[in-house]
Amino acid sequence: MRIAILGKPFEADMAPHLQRLFDDLAARQVQVSVVKSFHAALSQQLTLPDNLRLFDRGDDLRGTDYVLSIGGDGTLLDTVTYVGRLQIPILGINTGRLGFLSTVSPDQITPALDALFRGHFTLESRSLIHADTDPDVFEGLDFGLNEFSILKRDSSSMIVVHTYIDGEYLNSYWADGLVVSTPTGSTGYSLSCGGPVMLPQTNNFIIAPVCPHNLNVRPLIVPDRSVISFEIEGRSNNFLLSLDSRSVTVDAGIQVAVRREAFDAKLIKLNHVNFLSTLRSKLNWGLDRRNPAGFSV
């Protein structure tokens, strides 16, 4: 079996858990590859196998069976860009904070590996959003798992985002920006803008304005088979375009449209974890001071 591992620098208290991970993989005779940027942090605190392979962005991961993302949800979003259209299954190990996507806690690494090797898991297909820009500003990484955003660049006045669905005029948003979210991203930036939570298998986008000046403007759900295009104007000549955590500054005349990507991200879900249980855990749904015990599930 071949497993690739991506991650970010970690706190010292995570070192014993990660050492156990590499020891377990070595005992199972797994061929392990680690992204170069993460290997630098690992080698300072862990004893790593001698046959470890290194890779970088752009290297071919073809033939890899699984990818482990070690960090928070941001790390998993970055991991999706390494995997791309290969659609290699990704398992998120949460050494970060909230962990909507990276659901395996460090103390559950060993049981998670057991489940992985026994096939006791399911694969969730998560839709991606693709950004078409002219000129191309995302240098080939033109897709994201969570959202696409148009934002004002600094603390200057609001921008106006003229928005079209399949070429038909929708609205002109006077706001600090606009977010187009996937169902996965509905619990991220879109949620903080007042957008609804959508189940992962929902085939929709959410269009949510960021701090709109017109208070009667509300988030809108549209089918993800739509092509959503934009014209941007404002007092500033520069704006920010963002795919997940990757942002670029662009000129006002840029042509921008988004659509659903042709491929999906495949996330590994262990049998005791599902989206509804994650919502209850991460958003404290079902907890009430009047009923501290909550509802037994």
Side-chain angles (χ1 to χ4, degrees), residues 1 113 145 154 177 209 286 293:
M1 183 177 289
L113 288 180
L145 178 59
D154 48 35

Side-chain angles (χ1 to χ4, degrees), residues 60-98:
D60 192 356
L61 293 178
R62 212 180 313 271
T64 301
D65 296 291
Y66 304 109
V67 176
L68 304 185
S69 172
I70 301 176
D73 287 348
T75 305
L76 196 143
L77 295 178
D78 192 38
T79 299
V80 169
T81 66
Y82 279 81
V83 172
R85 63 180 62 253
L86 293 178
Q87 300 185 94
I88 303 168
I90 301 170
L91 178 64
I93 297 174
N94 183 30
T95 61
R97 290 172 292 182
L98 196 57

Side-chain angles (χ1 to χ4, degrees), residues 4-293:
I5 298 178
L6 295 95
K8 297 290 177 65
F10 51 90
E11 301 294 335
D13 60 346
M14 289 293 113
H17 299 290
L18 298 184
Q19 184 66 65
R20 193 174 306 116
L21 167 66
F22 280 94
D23 291 345
D24 196 332
L25 293 176
R28 298 174 190 265
Q29 299 182 327
V30 175
Q31 176 59 63
V32 178
S33 301
V34 177
V35 68
K36 290 180 180 178
S37 58
F38 190 41
H39 179 263
L42 291 170
S43 59
Q44 295 177 7
Q45 301 189 54
L46 305 184
T47 302
L48 299 175
D50 295 332
N51 63 342
L52 202 66
R53 298 181 182 179
L54 302 183
F55 68 95
D56 211 340
R57 185 181 296 281
D59 291 346
D60 192 356
L61 293 178
R62 212 180 313 271
T64 301
D65 296 291
Y66 304 109
V67 176
L68 304 185
S69 172
I70 301 176
D73 287 348
T75 305
L76 196 143
L77 295 178
D78 192 38
T79 299
V80 169
T81 66
Y82 279 81
V83 172
R85 63 180 62 253
L86 293 178
Q87 300 185 94
I88 303 168
I90 301 170
L91 178 64
I93 297 174
N94 183 30
T95 61
R97 290 172 292 182
L98 196 57
F100 262 102
L101 301 173
S102 301
T103 54
V104 176
S105 61
D107 59 351
Q108 291 296 312
I109 287 177
T110 298
L113 288 180
D114 286 338
L116 189 66
F117 280 83
R118 294 176 181 177
H120 296 171
F121 63 87
T122 57
L123 284 181
E124 282 189 357
S125 291
R126 298 293 186 98
S127 61
L128 304 171
I129 189 168
H130 176 97
D132 290 307
T133 62
D134 187 13
D136 179 18
V137 296
F138 289 108
E139 300 178 346
L141 295 178
D142 47 10
F143 58 90
L145 178 59
N146 265 8
E147 73 271 316
F148 170 81
S149 306
I150 301 171
L151 302 167
K152 66 178 186 179
R153 194 171 65 86
D154 48 35
S155 58
S156 62
S157 59
M158 292 179 293
I159 61 176
V160 184
V161 184
H162 305 291
T163 305
Y164 303 81
I165 298 178
D166 294 329
E168 183 177 349
Y169 176 66
L170 168 64
N171 190 23
S172 293
Y173 293 93
W174 295 69
D176 285 354
L178 195 68
V179 176
V180 182
S181 168
T182 66
T184 298
S186 70
T187 55
Y189 195 179
S190 175
L191 182 66
S192 70
C193 297
V197 174
M198 290 199 296
L199 298 182
Q201 62 268 30
T202 308
N203 296 318
N204 293 304
F205 288 137
I206 304 168
I207 303 175
V210 181
C211 299
H213 186 264
N214 296 345
L215 299 183
N216 60 339
V217 174
R218 291 293 181 264
L220 178 68
I221 298 174
V222 300
D224 64 7
R225 62 180 178 271
S226 307
V227 175
I228 308 170
S229 54
F230 312 96
E231 296 174 356
I232 315 165
E233 63 175 283
R235 293 181 180 177
S236 173
N237 292 322
N238 302 109
F239 311 100
L240 284 179
L241 299 184
S242 176
L243 272 170
D244 291 344
S245 58
R246 307 184 307 281
S247 297
V248 292
T249 301
V250 299
D251 295 331
I254 191 171
Q255 297 183 25
V256 185
V258 296
R259 54 184 169 84
R260 179 169 177 166
E261 183 55 91
F263 54 89
D264 295 338
K266 306 293 186 182
L267 302 188
I268 296 172
K269 293 298 177 184
L270 304 182
N271 290 341
H272 66 284
V273 175
N274 59 57
F275 184 73
L276 299 182
S277 65
T278 301
L279 282 180
R280 291 194 299 272
S281 172
K282 304 303 180 181
L283 297 181
N284 292 328
W285 284 10
L287 296 183
D288 193 320
R289 292 181 63 184
R290 297 166 298 180
N291 182 21

